Coordinates of all heavy atoms in Angstrom, one line a residue:
V166 N -1.2 -16.7 10.3 CA -0.9 -17.4 9.1 C 0.5 -18.1 9.2 O 0.7 -19.2 8.8 CB -0.8 -16.4 7.9 CG1 0.0 -16.9 6.7 CG2 -2.2 -16.0 7.5
F167 N 1.4 -17.5 9.9 CA 2.8 -18.1 10.1 C 2.9 -18.8 11.4 O 4.0 -19.3 11.7 CB 3.8 -17.0 10.0 CG 3.9 -16.3 8.6 CD1 3.3 -15.1 8.3 CD2 4.5 -17.0 7.6 CE1 3.3 -14.6 7.1 CE2 4.5 -16.5 6.3 CZ 3.9 -15.2 6.0
D168 N 1.8 -18.9 12.2 CA 1.8 -19.6 13.5 C 2.9 -19.1 14.4 O 3.7 -19.9 15.0 CB 2.0 -21.1 13.2 CG 1.6 -21.9 14.5 OD1 0.9 -21.4 15.3 OD2 2.1 -23.1 14.6
I169 N 3.0 -17.8 14.5 CA 4.0 -17.1 15.4 C 3.2 -16.1 16.2 O 2.1 -15.7 16.0 CB 5.1 -16.5 14.6 CG1 4.6 -15.5 13.6 CG2 6.0 -17.5 13.9 CD1 5.7 -14.7 12.8
A170 N 3.9 -15.6 17.3 CA 3.3 -14.6 18.1 C 3.4 -13.3 17.4 O 4.2 -13.0 16.6 CB 4.1 -14.5 19.4
P171 N 2.4 -12.4 17.7 CA 2.4 -11.0 17.1 C 3.8 -10.3 17.2 O 4.2 -9.6 16.3 CB 1.3 -10.3 17.8 CG 0.4 -11.4 18.2 CD 1.2 -12.5 18.6
I172 N 4.5 -10.5 18.3 CA 5.7 -9.8 18.6 C 6.8 -10.2 17.5 O 7.8 -9.5 17.3 CB 6.3 -10.0 20.0 CG1 7.4 -9.0 20.3 CG2 6.7 -11.4 20.2 CD1 7.0 -7.6 20.4
D173 N 6.6 -11.4 16.9 CA 7.5 -11.9 15.9 C 7.3 -11.4 14.5 O 8.0 -11.7 13.6 CB 7.5 -13.4 15.9 CG 8.0 -14.1 17.2 OD1 9.0 -13.5 17.8 OD2 7.5 -15.1 17.6
V174 N 6.3 -10.5 14.4 CA 6.0 -9.9 13.1 C 6.3 -8.4 13.3 O 5.9 -7.8 14.3 CB 4.5 -10.0 12.8 CG1 4.2 -9.4 11.4 CG2 4.1 -11.5 12.7
M175 N 6.9 -7.8 12.3 CA 7.2 -6.4 12.2 C 6.5 -5.8 11.0 O 6.7 -6.2 9.9 CB 8.7 -6.1 12.1 CG 9.0 -4.6 11.9 SD 10.8 -4.2 11.8 CE 11.2 -4.3 13.6
L176 N 5.5 -4.9 11.3 CA 4.9 -4.2 10.2 C 5.8 -3.0 9.7 O 6.2 -2.2 10.5 CB 3.5 -3.6 10.6 CG 2.8 -2.9 9.5 CD1 2.3 -3.8 8.4 CD2 1.6 -2.1 10.0
V177 N 6.0 -3.0 8.4 CA 6.8 -1.9 7.8 C 5.8 -1.0 7.0 O 5.1 -1.5 6.1 CB 7.9 -2.5 6.9 CG1 8.7 -1.3 6.2 CG2 8.8 -3.5 7.6
A178 N 5.8 0.3 7.3 CA 4.8 1.1 6.7 C 5.3 2.6 6.7 O 6.1 3.0 7.6 CB 3.4 1.0 7.4
A179 N 4.7 3.4 5.8 CA 5.0 4.8 5.8 C 3.9 5.6 6.4 O 3.8 6.8 6.1 CB 5.2 5.2 4.3
H180 N 3.0 4.9 7.2 CA 1.8 5.6 7.7 C 1.7 5.3 9.2 O 1.6 4.1 9.6 CB 0.6 5.1 7.0 CG 0.7 5.2 5.5 ND1 0.8 4.1 4.7 CD2 0.8 6.2 4.7 CE1 0.9 4.4 3.5 NE2 0.9 5.7 3.4
H181 N 1.8 6.3 10.0 CA 1.8 6.2 11.5 C 0.5 5.6 12.0 O 0.5 4.8 13.0 CB 2.1 7.5 12.2 CG 3.5 7.9 12.1 ND1 4.5 7.1 12.6 CD2 4.1 9.0 11.6 CE1 5.7 7.7 12.4 NE2 5.5 8.9 11.8
D182 N -0.6 5.8 11.4 CA -1.9 5.2 11.9 C -1.9 3.7 11.7 O -2.4 3.0 12.6 CB -3.1 5.9 11.2 CG -3.1 5.9 9.7 OD1 -2.0 5.5 9.1 OD2 -4.1 6.2 9.1
D183 N -1.4 3.3 10.6 CA -1.3 1.8 10.3 C -0.4 1.2 11.4 O -0.7 0.1 12.0 CB -0.7 1.6 8.9 CG -0.9 0.2 8.4 OD1 -1.5 -0.7 9.1 OD2 -0.4 -0.1 7.3
L184 N 0.7 1.8 11.7 CA 1.7 1.3 12.6 C 1.1 1.3 14.0 O 1.3 0.3 14.8 CB 3.0 2.1 12.6 CG 3.7 2.0 11.2 CD1 4.9 3.0 11.1 CD2 4.3 0.6 11.0
A185 N 0.4 2.3 14.4 CA -0.2 2.4 15.7 C -1.2 1.2 15.9 O -1.2 0.6 17.0 CB -0.9 3.7 15.9
A186 N -2.0 1.0 14.9 CA -3.0 -0.1 15.0 C -2.2 -1.5 15.1 O -2.7 -2.4 15.9 CB -3.9 -0.1 13.8
A187 N -1.1 -1.6 14.4 CA -0.3 -2.9 14.5 C 0.3 -3.0 15.9 O 0.2 -4.1 16.5 CB 0.8 -2.9 13.4
R188 N 0.8 -2.0 16.5 CA 1.4 -2.0 17.8 C 0.3 -2.4 18.8 O 0.6 -3.2 19.8 CB 2.0 -0.7 18.2 CG 3.3 -0.4 17.6 CD 4.0 0.8 18.4 NE 3.2 2.0 18.3 CZ 3.2 2.8 17.3 NH1 4.0 2.6 16.2 NH2 2.5 3.9 17.4
A189 N -0.9 -1.9 18.7 CA -2.0 -2.3 19.6 C -2.3 -3.7 19.6 O -2.9 -4.3 20.5 CB -3.3 -1.5 19.2
C190 N -1.9 -4.4 18.5 CA -2.1 -5.9 18.4 C -0.9 -6.7 18.8 O -0.8 -7.9 18.6 CB -2.5 -6.2 17.0 SG -4.1 -5.6 16.5
G191 N 0.2 -5.9 19.2 CA 1.4 -6.6 19.7 C 2.5 -6.8 18.7 O 3.5 -7.4 19.0
L192 N 2.3 -6.2 17.4 CA 3.4 -6.3 16.4 C 4.5 -5.3 16.7 O 4.2 -4.2 17.3 CB 2.8 -6.0 15.0 CG 2.1 -7.2 14.3 CD1 0.8 -7.6 15.0 CD2 1.8 -6.8 12.9
Q193 N 5.7 -5.6 16.2 CA 6.7 -4.6 16.2 C 6.4 -3.7 14.9 O 5.7 -4.1 14.0 CB 8.1 -5.2 16.0 CG 8.5 -6.1 17.2 CD 9.9 -6.5 17.1 OE1 10.9 -5.8 17.0 NE2 10.1 -7.9 17.2
T194 N 7.0 -2.5 14.9 CA 6.7 -1.6 13.8 C 8.0 -0.8 13.3 O 8.8 -0.4 14.1 CB 5.7 -0.5 14.2 OG1 6.1 0.2 15.4 CG2 4.3 -1.2 14.5
A195 N 8.0 -0.7 12.0 CA 9.1 0.1 11.4 C 8.5 1.2 10.5 O 7.8 0.8 9.6 CB 10.1 -0.8 10.6
Y196 N 8.8 2.4 10.8 CA 8.4 3.5 9.9 C 9.4 3.8 8.8 O 10.6 3.8 9.1 CB 8.1 4.8 10.7 CG 7.6 5.9 9.9 CD1 6.3 6.0 9.5 CD2 8.5 7.0 9.5 CE1 5.8 7.1 8.8 CE2 8.0 8.0 8.8 CZ 6.7 8.1 8.4 OH 6.2 9.2 7.7
V197 N 8.9 3.9 7.6 CA 9.8 4.2 6.5 C 9.4 5.6 5.9 O 8.2 5.8 5.6 CB 9.8 3.1 5.4 CG1 10.6 3.5 4.2 CG2 10.2 1.8 6.0
E198 N 10.3 6.5 5.7 CA 10.0 7.8 5.2 C 9.7 7.8 3.7 O 10.5 7.2 2.9 CB 11.2 8.7 5.4 CG 11.6 8.9 6.9 CD 12.9 9.8 7.1 OE1 13.4 10.3 6.0 OE2 13.3 10.0 8.2
R199 N 8.6 8.3 3.4 CA 8.2 8.5 2.0 C 7.7 9.9 1.9 O 6.5 10.1 1.7 CB 7.1 7.5 1.5 CG 7.6 6.0 1.6 CD 8.8 5.7 0.7 NE 9.1 4.3 0.6 CZ 10.3 3.9 0.2 NH1 11.3 4.7 -0.1 NH2 10.6 2.6 0.2
P200 N 8.6 10.9 2.0 CA 8.1 12.3 2.0 C 7.4 12.7 0.7 O 6.6 13.7 0.7 CB 9.4 13.1 2.2 CG 10.5 12.2 1.7 CD 10.0 10.8 2.0
L201 N 7.6 12.0 -0.4 CA 7.0 12.4 -1.7 C 5.8 11.5 -2.1 O 5.4 11.5 -3.2 CB 8.0 12.4 -2.8 CG 9.2 13.4 -2.6 CD1 10.2 13.3 -3.8 CD2 8.8 14.8 -2.2
E202 N 5.2 10.8 -1.1 CA 4.1 9.9 -1.4 C 3.0 10.7 -2.2 O 2.4 10.1 -3.1 CB 3.5 9.3 -0.1 CG 2.3 8.4 -0.4 CD 1.7 7.8 0.8 OE1 2.2 8.0 2.0 OE2 0.6 7.2 0.6
F203 N 2.7 11.9 -1.8 CA 1.6 12.6 -2.4 C 2.1 13.6 -3.5 O 1.4 14.5 -4.0 CB 0.8 13.4 -1.4 CG 0.2 12.5 -0.4 CD1 0.8 12.2 0.8 CD2 -1.1 11.9 -0.7 CE1 0.2 11.3 1.7 CE2 -1.7 11.1 0.2 CZ -1.1 10.8 1.4
G204 N 3.4 13.4 -4.0 CA 3.9 14.2 -5.0 C 4.8 15.3 -4.5 O 4.7 15.7 -3.3

Side-chain angles (χ1 to χ4, degrees):
V166 163
F167 294 101
D168 193 24
I169 56 179
I172 194 67
D173 292 325
V174 181
M175 175 177 280
L176 180 70
V177 181
H180 311 110
H181 283 303
D182 54 349
D183 195 3
L184 296 169
R188 280 196 304 277
C190 295
L192 278 66
Q193 297 187 56
T194 56
Y196 181 78
V197 177
E198 298 178 3
R199 298 298 186 200
L201 302 183
E202 178 182 357
F203 296 94

